Amino acid sequence: MPGLLRGVARTAVVAGTATAVSNRVSRRQQGRWAQQEYEQAAPQPAPAAAPQAPPPPDMTSKIDQLKQLGELKAQGVLTEAEFEEQKRRILES
């Protein structure tokens, strides 16, 4: 009977150790999965805002440039095509 008791005791110790190890592995694995879910669900940082375009130049400077162009055209320095091209550039800037 002492051999049988020793075998039963050894089986109980092995089973208890296996259960403890299995539980620890399960908890660690669940913790890792929870961490992954948390990281995936966490809001991503917003991308940096695009720099805003500089404010358009003062309209009075554009008007002055257009007046100068008109004077150059009236003096015959600029052709109609050159005048239109320069006017387009000024208005687009």
Coordinates of all heavy atoms in Angstrom, one line a residue:
M1 N 0.8 -1.2 0.0 CA 0.0 0.0 0.0 C 0.9 1.3 0.0 O 0.4 2.2 -0.6 CB -0.9 -0.1 1.2 CG -2.0 0.9 1.3 SD -3.4 0.4 0.4 CE -4.6 0.9 1.4
P2 N 2.0 1.3 0.6 CA 2.8 2.5 0.6 C 3.2 2.9 -0.8 O 3.3 4.1 -1.2 CB 4.1 2.2 1.4 CG 3.8 1.0 2.1 CD 2.7 0.3 1.5
G3 N 3.5 2.0 -1.7 CA 3.8 2.3 -3.1 C 2.6 2.9 -3.8 O 2.8 3.8 -4.6
L4 N 1.4 2.4 -3.5 CA 0.2 3.0 -4.2 C 0.0 4.4 -3.7 O -0.3 5.3 -4.5 CB -1.0 2.1 -3.8 CG -2.3 2.5 -4.4 CD1 -2.2 2.4 -5.9 CD2 -3.4 1.6 -3.9
L5 N 0.2 4.6 -2.4 CA 0.0 6.0 -1.9 C 1.0 7.0 -2.5 O 0.7 8.1 -2.8 CB 0.1 5.9 -0.3 CG -0.6 7.0 0.4 CD1 -2.0 7.1 0.0 CD2 -0.5 6.7 1.9
R6 N 2.2 6.5 -2.6 CA 3.3 7.3 -3.2 C 2.9 7.7 -4.6 O 3.1 8.8 -5.1 CB 4.6 6.6 -3.1 CG 5.7 7.6 -3.5 CD 7.1 6.9 -3.3 NE 7.1 6.1 -2.1 CZ 8.2 5.3 -1.8 NH1 9.2 5.3 -2.5 NH2 8.1 4.6 -0.7
G7 N 2.4 6.7 -5.4 CA 2.0 7.0 -6.8 C 0.9 7.9 -6.9 O 0.8 8.8 -7.8
V8 N -0.1 7.8 -6.0 CA -1.3 8.7 -6.0 C -0.8 10.1 -5.7 O -1.2 11.1 -6.3 CB -2.4 8.2 -5.0 CG1 -3.4 9.3 -4.9 CG2 -3.0 6.9 -5.6
A9 N 0.1 10.2 -4.7 CA 0.6 11.5 -4.3 C 1.4 12.2 -5.4 O 1.3 13.4 -5.7 CB 1.5 11.4 -3.0
R10 N 2.2 11.4 -6.1 CA 3.0 11.9 -7.2 C 2.1 12.4 -8.3 O 2.3 13.5 -8.9 CB 4.0 10.9 -7.7 CG 4.9 11.4 -8.8 CD 5.8 10.4 -9.3 NE 6.7 10.0 -8.2 CZ 7.5 9.0 -8.2 NH1 7.5 8.1 -9.2 NH2 8.3 8.7 -7.1
T11 N 1.1 11.6 -8.6 CA 0.1 12.0 -9.7 C -0.6 13.3 -9.3 O -0.8 14.2 -10.1 CB -0.9 10.9 -9.9 OG1 -0.2 9.7 -10.2 CG2 -1.9 11.2 -11.0
A12 N -0.9 13.5 -8.0 CA -1.6 14.7 -7.6 C -0.7 15.9 -7.7 O -1.1 17.0 -8.2 CB -2.1 14.5 -6.1
V13 N 0.6 15.7 -7.4 CA 1.5 16.8 -7.5 C 1.7 17.2 -9.0 O 1.7 18.4 -9.3 CB 2.9 16.5 -6.8 CG1 4.0 17.5 -7.2 CG2 2.7 16.4 -5.3
V14 N 1.9 16.2 -9.8 CA 2.1 16.5 -11.2 C 0.9 17.1 -11.8 O 1.0 18.1 -12.6 CB 2.4 15.2 -12.0 CG1 2.4 15.4 -13.5 CG2 3.8 14.7 -11.6
A15 N -0.3 16.7 -11.5 CA -1.5 17.2 -12.0 C -1.7 18.7 -11.5 O -2.1 19.6 -12.3 CB -2.7 16.4 -11.6
G16 N -1.4 18.9 -10.3 CA -1.5 20.3 -9.7 C -0.5 21.2 -10.4 O -0.9 22.4 -10.7
T17 N 0.7 20.8 -10.6 CA 1.7 21.6 -11.2 C 1.3 21.9 -12.7 O 1.4 23.0 -13.1 CB 3.1 20.9 -11.2 OG1 3.4 20.6 -9.9 CG2 4.1 21.7 -11.9
A18 N 0.8 20.9 -13.4 CA 0.4 21.1 -14.8 C -0.8 22.1 -14.8 O -0.8 22.9 -15.7 CB -0.1 19.7 -15.4
T19 N -1.7 22.0 -13.9 CA -2.8 22.9 -13.9 C -2.4 24.3 -13.6 O -2.8 25.3 -14.3 CB -3.9 22.5 -12.8 OG1 -4.3 21.1 -13.1 CG2 -5.0 23.4 -12.8
A20 N -1.4 24.5 -12.7 CA -0.9 25.8 -12.3 C -0.2 26.4 -13.5 O -0.4 27.6 -13.9 CB 0.0 25.7 -11.1
V21 N 0.6 25.6 -14.2 CA 1.4 26.1 -15.4 C 0.4 26.5 -16.5 O 0.5 27.5 -17.2 CB 2.4 25.1 -15.8 CG1 3.0 25.5 -17.2 CG2 3.5 24.9 -14.8
S22 N -0.6 25.6 -16.7 CA -1.6 25.9 -17.8 C -2.3 27.2 -17.5 O -2.6 28.0 -18.4 CB -2.5 24.7 -17.9 OG -3.6 25.0 -18.8
N23 N -2.7 27.4 -16.3 CA -3.5 28.6 -15.9 C -2.6 29.8 -16.1 O -3.1 30.9 -16.6 CB -4.0 28.5 -14.5 CG -5.1 27.6 -14.3 OD1 -5.8 27.2 -15.3 ND2 -5.3 27.1 -13.1
R24 N -1.3 29.7 -15.8 CA -0.4 30.9 -15.9 C -0.2 31.2 -17.4 O -0.3 32.4 -17.8 CB 0.9 30.6 -15.3 CG 1.9 31.7 -15.4 CD 3.1 31.6 -14.5 NE 3.9 32.7 -14.6 CZ 5.2 32.7 -15.0 NH1 5.7 31.6 -15.3 NH2 5.9 33.8 -15.1
V25 N -0.1 30.2 -18.2 CA 0.1 30.4 -19.7 C -1.2 31.0 -20.2 O -1.1 32.0 -21.1 CB 0.4 29.1 -20.4 CG1 0.3 29.2 -21.9 CG2 1.8 28.6 -20.0
S26 N -2.3 30.6 -19.8 CA -3.6 31.1 -20.3 C -3.7 32.6 -20.0 O -4.2 33.4 -20.8 CB -4.8 30.3 -19.8 OG -4.8 29.0 -20.3
R27 N -3.4 32.9 -18.7 CA -3.5 34.3 -18.3 C -2.6 35.2 -19.0 O -2.9 36.3 -19.5 CB -3.2 34.4 -16.8 CG -4.4 34.0 -15.9 CD -4.2 34.4 -14.4 NE -3.0 33.9 -13.9 CZ -2.8 32.7 -13.3 NH1 -3.8 31.9 -13.2 NH2 -1.6 32.4 -12.8
R28 N -1.3 34.8 -19.2 CA -0.4 35.6 -20.0 C -0.9 35.8 -21.4 O -0.8 36.9 -22.0 CB 1.0 34.9 -20.0 CG 1.7 35.0 -18.7 CD 3.1 34.4 -18.7 NE 3.9 35.0 -19.7 CZ 5.0 34.4 -20.2 NH1 5.4 33.2 -19.7 NH2 5.7 35.0 -21.1
Q29 N -1.4 34.7 -22.0 CA -1.9 34.8 -23.4 C -3.1 35.8 -23.5 O -3.1 36.6 -24.4 CB -2.2 33.4 -23.9 CG -2.4 33.4 -25.4 CD -2.6 31.9 -25.9 OE1 -3.2 31.1 -25.2 NE2 -2.2 31.7 -27.1
Q30 N -4.0 35.7 -22.6 CA -5.1 36.6 -22.6 C -4.7 38.0 -22.4 O -5.2 38.9 -23.0 CB -6.1 36.1 -21.5 CG -6.9 34.9 -21.9 CD -7.8 34.4 -20.7 OE1 -7.7 34.9 -19.6 NE2 -8.6 33.4 -21.0
G31 N -3.7 38.2 -21.5 CA -3.2 39.5 -21.3 C -2.6 40.1 -22.6 O -2.7 41.3 -22.9
R32 N -1.8 39.3 -23.3 CA -1.2 39.7 -24.6 C -2.3 40.1 -25.6 O -2.2 41.1 -26.3 CB -0.3 38.7 -25.1 CG 1.0 38.6 -24.4 CD 1.9 37.5 -25.0 NE 3.1 37.3 -24.2 CZ 3.9 36.3 -24.2 NH1 3.6 35.3 -25.1 NH2 5.0 36.2 -23.5
W33 N -3.3 39.2 -25.7 CA -4.4 39.5 -26.6 C -5.2 40.8 -26.3 O -5.5 41.6 -27.1 CB -5.4 38.3 -26.7 CG -4.8 37.1 -27.4 CD1 -3.7 37.1 -28.2 CD2 -5.3 35.8 -27.3 NE1 -3.5 35.8 -28.6 CE2 -4.5 35.0 -28.1 CE3 -6.3 35.2 -26.6 CZ2 -4.7 33.6 -28.2 CZ3 -6.5 33.8 -26.7 CH2 -5.7 33.1 -27.5
A34 N -5.4 41.0 -25.0 CA -6.1 42.2 -24.5 C -5.2 43.4 -24.9 O -5.8 44.4 -25.3 CB -6.3 42.1 -23.0
Q35 N -3.9 43.3 -24.7 CA -3.0 44.4 -25.0 C -3.1 44.7 -26.5 O -3.1 45.9 -26.9 CB -1.6 44.1 -24.6 CG -0.6 45.3 -24.9 CD -0.9 46.5 -24.1 OE1 -1.4 46.4 -23.0 NE2 -0.5 47.6 -24.6
Q36 N -3.1 43.7 -27.3 CA -3.2 43.9 -28.8 C -4.5 44.6 -29.2 O -4.5 45.5 -30.0 CB -3.0 42.6 -29.5 CG -1.6 42.0 -29.5 CD -1.5 40.7 -30.2 OE1 -2.5 40.0 -30.5 NE2 -0.3 40.2 -30.4
E37 N -5.6 44.1 -28.6 CA -6.9 44.7 -28.9 C -6.9 46.2 -28.5 O -7.5 47.0 -29.1 CB -8.0 43.9 -28.2 CG -8.2 42.6 -28.8 CD -9.3 41.8 -28.0 OE1 -9.9 42.3 -27.1 OE2 -9.4 40.6 -28.4
Y38 N -6.3 46.4 -27.3 CA -6.3 47.8 -26.8 C -5.5 48.7 -27.8 O -5.9 49.8 -28.1 CB -5.7 47.9 -25.4 CG -5.4 49.3 -24.9 CD1 -6.5 50.0 -24.4 CD2 -4.2 49.9 -24.9 CE1 -6.4 51.3 -23.9 CE2 -4.0 51.1 -24.4 CZ -5.1 51.8 -24.0 OH -4.9 53.1 -23.5
E39 N -4.3 48.2 -28.2 CA -3.5 49.0 -29.1 C -4.2 49.2 -30.5 O -4.1 50.3 -31.1 CB -2.2 48.3 -29.4 CG -1.3 48.4 -28.1 CD 0.0 47.5 -28.3 OE1 0.1 46.8 -29.3 OE2 0.8 47.6 -27.4
Q40 N -5.0 48.2 -30.9 CA -5.7 48.4 -32.2 C -6.9 49.3 -32.1 O -7.2 50.0 -33.0 CB -6.1 47.0 -32.7 CG -5.0 46.2 -33.2 CD -5.4 44.8 -33.6 OE1 -6.6 44.4 -33.4 NE2 -4.5 44.0 -34.1
A41 N -7.5 49.3 -30.9 CA -8.7 50.1 -30.7 C -8.3 51.5 -30.3 O -9.2 52.4 -30.4 CB -9.6 49.5 -29.6
A42 N -7.1 51.8 -29.8 CA -6.7 53.1 -29.4 C -6.8 54.0 -30.6 O -6.3 53.7 -31.7 CB -5.3 53.1 -28.8
P43 N -7.3 55.2 -30.4 CA -7.3 56.1 -31.6 C -5.9 56.5 -32.1 O -5.0 56.7 -31.3 CB -8.0 57.4 -31.0 CG -7.9 57.3 -29.5 CD -7.7 55.8 -29.2
Q44 N -5.8 56.5 -33.4 CA -4.5 56.8 -34.0 C -4.3 58.3 -33.9 O -5.3 59.1 -34.0 CB -4.5 56.4 -35.4 CG -4.7 54.9 -35.6 CD -3.6 54.1 -35.0 OE1 -2.4 54.4 -35.0 NE2 -3.9 52.9 -34.4
P45 N -3.1 58.8 -33.7 CA -2.9 60.2 -33.6 C -3.2 60.8 -34.9 O -3.0 60.3 -36.0 CB -1.4 60.4 -33.3 CG -0.8 59.0 -33.6 CD -1.9 58.0 -33.5
A46 N -3.8 62.0 -34.9 CA -4.2 62.7 -36.1 C -3.0 63.1 -36.8 O -2.0 63.6 -36.2 CB -5.1 63.9 -35.7
P47 N -3.0 63.0 -38.1 CA -1.9 63.5 -38.9 C -1.7 65.0 -38.7 O -2.7 65.7 -38.5 CB -2.2 63.2 -40.4 CG -3.7 62.9 -40.4 CD -4.1 62.5 -39.0
A48 N -0.5 65.4 -38.8 CA -0.2 66.8 -38.7 C -1.0 67.6 -39.7 O -1.1 67.2 -40.8 CB 1.3 67.1 -38.8
A49 N -1.5 68.7 -39.3 CA -2.3 69.6 -40.2 C -1.4 70.1 -41.3 O -0.2 70.4 -41.0 CB -2.9 70.7 -39.4
A50 N -1.9 70.1 -42.4 CA -1.2 70.6 -43.6 C -0.9 72.1 -43.4 O -1.8 72.8 -42.9 CB -1.9 70.4 -44.9
P51 N 0.3 72.6 -43.7 CA 0.5 74.0 -43.5 C -0.4 74.8 -44.4 O -0.7 74.4 -45.5 CB 2.0 74.2 -43.9 CG 2.3 73.0 -44.7 CD 1.4 71.9 -44.3
Q52 N -0.9 75.9 -43.8 CA -1.9 76.7 -44.6 C -1.1 77.5 -45.6 O 0.0 77.9 -45.3 CB -2.7 77.6 -43.6 CG -3.6 76.8 -42.7 CD -4.4 77.8 -41.8 OE1 -4.1 79.0 -41.8 NE2 -5.4 77.3 -41.2
A53 N -1.7 77.8 -46.7 CA -1.1 78.6 -47.7 C -1.0 80.0 -47.2 O -1.8 80.5 -46.4 CB -2.0 78.6 -49.0
P54 N 0.0 80.7 -47.5 CA 0.2 82.1 -47.0 C -1.0 82.9 -47.5 O -1.6 82.6 -48.6 CB 1.5 82.6 -47.7 CG 1.7 81.7 -48.8 CD 1.1 80.4 -48.5
P55 N -1.4 83.9 -46.7 CA -2.6 84.7 -47.1 C -2.3 85.4 -48.5 O -1.1 85.7 -48.8 CB -2.7 85.7 -46.0 CG -1.4 85.7 -45.3 CD -0.8 84.4 -45.5
P56 N -3.3 85.5 -49.3 CA -3.1 86.2 -50.6 C -2.6 87.6 -50.4 O -2.9 88.3 -49.4 CB -4.5 86.2 -51.2 CG -5.5 86.0 -50.1 CD -4.7 85.3 -49.0
P57 N -1.8 88.0 -51.4 CA -1.2 89.4 -51.2 C -2.4 90.4 -51.3 O -3.5 90.1 -51.7 CB -0.3 89.5 -52.5 CG -0.4 88.3 -53.2 CD -1.3 87.3 -52.5
D58 N -2.1 91.5 -50.8 CA -3.1 92.6 -50.7 C -3.6 92.9 -52.1 O -2.8 93.0 -53.1 CB -2.4 93.8 -50.1 CG -3.4 94.9 -49.8 OD1 -4.6 94.7 -49.8 OD2 -2.9 96.0 -49.4
M59 N -4.9 93.0 -52.2 CA -5.5 93.3 -53.6 C -5.0 94.6 -54.1 O -4.9 94.8 -55.3 CB -7.0 93.3 -53.4 CG -7.6 91.9 -53.4 SD -7.2 90.9 -54.8 CE -8.1 91.6 -56.1
T60 N -4.6 95.6 -53.3 CA -4.2 96.9 -53.8 C -2.9 96.7 -54.6 O -2.7 97.4 -55.6 CB -4.0 97.9 -52.7 OG1 -3.1 97.3 -51.7 CG2 -5.3 98.2 -52.0
S61 N -2.0 95.8 -54.2 CA -0.8 95.6 -54.9 C -1.1 94.9 -56.3 O -0.5 95.3 -57.3 CB 0.2 94.7 -54.1 OG -0.3 93.4 -54.0
K62 N -2.1 94.0 -56.3 CA -2.5 93.4 -57.6 C -3.1 94.5 -58.5 O -2.8 94.5 -59.7 CB -3.5 92.3 -57.4 CG -2.9 91.0 -56.9 CD -3.9 89.9 -56.8 CE -3.3 88.7 -56.3 NZ -4.2 87.5 -56.4
I63 N -3.9 95.4 -58.0 CA -4.5 96.4 -58.8 C -3.4 97.3 -59.3 O -3.5 97.7 -60.5 CB -5.6 97.2 -57.9 CG1 -6.7 96.2 -57.7 CG2 -6.0 98.4 -58.7 CD1 -7.7 96.8 -56.7
D64 N -2.4 97.7 -58.5 CA -1.3 98.5 -58.9 C -0.6 97.9 -60.1 O -0.2 98.5 -61.1 CB -0.4 98.9 -57.8 CG -1.0 99.8 -56.8 OD1 -2.0 100.5 -57.1 OD2 -0.5 99.8 -55.6
Q65 N -0.3 96.6 -60.0 CA 0.4 95.9 -61.0 C -0.4 95.9 -62.3 O 0.2 96.0 -63.4 CB 0.7 94.4 -60.6 CG 1.8 94.3 -59.5 CD 2.0 92.9 -59.0 OE1 1.2 92.0 -59.3 NE2 3.1 92.7 -58.3
L66 N -1.7 95.6 -62.2 CA -2.6 95.6 -63.4 C -2.6 97.0 -64.0 O -2.6 97.1 -65.3 CB -4.0 95.2 -63.0 CG -4.1 93.7 -62.7 CD1 -5.5 93.4 -62.1 CD2 -3.8 92.8 -63.8
K67 N -2.6 98.1 -63.2 CA -2.5 99.4 -63.8 C -1.3 99.7 -64.6 O -1.3 100.2 -65.7 CB -2.7 100.5 -62.7 CG -4.1 100.6 -62.1 CD -4.1 101.7 -61.0 CE -5.5 101.8 -60.4 NZ -5.5 102.8 -59.3
Q68 N -0.1 99.2 -64.0 CA 1.1 99.4 -64.7 C 1.2 98.6 -66.0 O 1.7 99.1 -67.0 CB 2.3 98.9 -63.8 CG 2.6 99.8 -62.6 CD 3.6 99.2 -61.7 OE1 4.0 98.0 -61.8 NE2 4.0 100.0 -60.7
L69 N 0.6 97.4 -66.0 CA 0.5 96.6 -67.2 C -0.3 97.3 -68.2 O 0.0 97.4 -69.4 CB -0.1 95.2 -66.9 CG 0.8 94.1 -66.4 CD1 0.0 92.8 -66.2 CD2 1.9 93.8 -67.4
G70 N -1.5 97.9 -67.8 CA -2.3 98.6 -68.7 C -1.6 99.8 -69.3 O -1.7 100.1 -70.5
E71 N -0.8 100.5 -68.5 CA 0.0 101.6 -69.0 C 1.0 101.2 -70.0 O 1.2 101.8 -71.1 CB 0.7 102.4 -67.9 CG -0.3 103.1 -67.0 CD 0.4 103.7 -65.7 OE1 1.6 103.6 -65.6 OE2 -0.4 104.2 -64.9
L72 N 1.7 100.1 -69.8 CA 2.7 99.5 -70.7 C 2.0 99.1 -72.0 O 2.6 99.3 -73.1 CB 3.4 98.3 -70.1 CG 4.4 98.7 -68.9 CD1 4.9 97.4 -68.3 CD2 5.5 99.5 -69.4
K73 N 0.9 98.6 -71.9 CA 0.1 98.2 -73.1 C -0.3 99.4 -73.9 O -0.1 99.5 -75.2 CB -1.1 97.3 -72.8 CG -1.9 96.9 -74.0 CD -3.1 96.1 -73.6 CE -3.9 95.9 -74.8 NZ -5.3 95.8 -74.5
A74 N -0.7 100.4 -73.2 CA -1.2 101.7 -73.9 C 0.0 102.4 -74.5 O -0.1 103.0 -75.6 CB -1.8 102.6 -72.9
Q75 N 1.2 102.2 -74.0 CA 2.4 102.8 -74.5 C 3.0 102.0 -75.7 O 3.9 102.5 -76.4 CB 3.5 103.0 -73.5 CG 3.2 103.9 -72.4 CD 4.2 103.9 -71.2 OE1 5.1 103.2 -71.3 NE2 3.9 104.7 -70.2
G76 N 2.4 100.8 -75.9 CA 2.9 99.9 -77.0 C 4.1 99.1 -76.6 O 4.7 98.4 -77.5
V77 N 4.4 99.1 -75.3 CA 5.6 98.2 -74.9 C 5.2 96.7 -74.9 O 6.0 95.9 -75.2 CB 6.1 98.7 -73.5 CG1 7.2 97.8 -73.0 CG2 6.5 100.1 -73.5
L78 N 3.9 96.5 -74.5 CA 3.4 95.1 -74.5 C 2.4 94.9 -75.6 O 1.6 95.8 -75.9 CB 2.7 94.8 -73.1 CG 3.6 94.8 -71.9 CD1 2.7 94.6 -70.6 CD2 4.6 93.7 -71.9
T79 N 2.5 93.7 -76.1 CA 1.4 93.3 -77.1 C 0.2 92.8 -76.4 O 0.3 92.6 -75.1 CB 1.9 92.2 -78.0 OG1 2.1 91.0 -77.2 CG2 3.2 92.5 -78.8
E80 N -0.9 92.6 -77.1 CA -2.1 92.1 -76.4 C -1.9 90.8 -75.8 O -2.3 90.5 -74.7 CB -3.2 92.0 -77.5 CG -4.6 91.6 -76.9 CD -5.2 92.6 -76.0 OE1 -5.0 93.8 -76.1 OE2 -5.9 92.1 -75.0
A81 N -1.2 89.9 -76.5 CA -0.9 88.5 -75.9 C 0.0 88.6 -74.7 O -0.3 87.9 -73.7 CB -0.2 87.7 -77.0
E82 N 1.0 89.5 -74.7 CA 1.9 89.6 -73.5 C 1.1 90.2 -72.3 O 1.3 89.8 -71.2 CB 3.1 90.5 -73.8 CG 4.1 89.9 -74.8 CD 5.1 90.9 -75.3 OE1 4.8 92.1 -75.4 OE2 6.2 90.5 -75.6
F83 N 0.2 91.2 -72.7 CA -0.6 91.8 -71.6 C -1.5 90.7 -71.0 O -1.6 90.7 -69.7 CB -1.4 92.9 -72.2 CG -2.4 93.5 -71.3 CD1 -2.0 94.3 -70.2 CD2 -3.8 93.2 -71.4 CE1 -2.9 94.9 -69.3 CE2 -4.7 93.7 -70.5 CZ -4.3 94.5 -69.5
E84 N -2.2 89.9 -71.8 CA -3.1 88.9 -71.2 C -2.3 87.9 -70.4 O -2.8 87.4 -69.3 CB -3.8 88.2 -72.4 CG -4.8 89.1 -73.1 CD -5.9 89.6 -72.1 OE1 -6.4 88.8 -71.2 OE2 -6.4 90.7 -72.3
E85 N -1.1 87.5 -70.8 CA -0.3 86.5 -70.1 C 0.1 87.1 -68.7 O 0.0 86.4 -67.7 CB 0.9 86.1 -70.9 CG 1.9 85.2 -70.2 CD 1.3 83.8 -69.9 OE1 0.4 83.4 -70.6 OE2 1.9 83.2 -69.0
Q86 N 0.6 88.3 -68.7 CA 1.0 88.9 -67.4 C -0.2 89.1 -66.5 O -0.1 88.9 -65.3 CB 1.8 90.2 -67.7 CG 3.1 90.0 -68.4 CD 4.0 89.2 -67.6 OE1 4.1 89.3 -66.4 NE2 4.7 88.3 -68.3
K87 N -1.3 89.5 -67.1 CA -2.5 89.7 -66.3 C -3.0 88.4 -65.7 O -3.3 88.4 -64.5 CB -3.6 90.3 -67.2 CG -4.9 90.6 -66.4 CD -5.9 91.3 -67.3 CE -6.6 90.3 -68.2 NZ -7.8 90.8 -68.9
R88 N -2.9 87.3 -66.4 CA -3.3 86.0 -65.9 C -2.3 85.6 -64.7 O -2.8 85.1 -63.7 CB -3.2 84.9 -67.0 CG -3.6 83.6 -66.6 CD -3.4 82.5 -67.6 NE -2.0 82.4 -68.1 CZ -1.1 81.7 -67.4 NH1 -1.3 81.2 -66.2 NH2 0.2 81.7 -67.8
R89 N -1.0 85.8 -64.9 CA -0.1 85.5 -63.8 C -0.4 86.3 -62.6 O -0.3 85.8 -61.5 CB 1.3 85.8 -64.3 CG 1.8 84.8 -65.3 CD 3.3 85.0 -65.6 NE 3.7 84.1 -66.6 CZ 4.9 84.1 -67.2 NH1 5.8 85.1 -66.8 NH2 5.3 83.2 -68.1
I90 N -0.6 87.6 -62.7 CA -0.9 88.4 -61.5 C -2.2 87.9 -60.8 O -2.2 87.8 -59.6 CB -1.0 89.9 -61.9 CG1 0.3 90.4 -62.4 CG2 -1.6 90.7 -60.8 CD1 0.3 91.8 -63.0
L91 N -3.2 87.7 -61.6 CA -4.5 87.2 -61.0 C -4.4 85.9 -60.3 O -5.1 85.6 -59.4 CB -5.6 87.3 -62.0 CG -5.9 88.7 -62.5 CD1 -7.0 88.7 -63.6 CD2 -6.4 89.6 -61.3
E92 N -3.5 85.0 -60.9 CA -3.4 83.6 -60.3 C -2.5 83.6 -59.1 O -2.6 82.7 -58.3 CB -2.8 82.7 -61.3 CG -3.8 82.3 -62.4 CD -3.2 81.4 -63.4 OE1 -2.0 81.1 -63.4 OE2 -3.9 80.9 -64.3
S93 N -1.7 84.6 -58.9 CA -0.8 84.6 -57.8 C -1.5 85.1 -56.5 O -2.5 85.6 -56.4 CB 0.4 85.5 -58.0 OG 0.0 86.9 -58.1

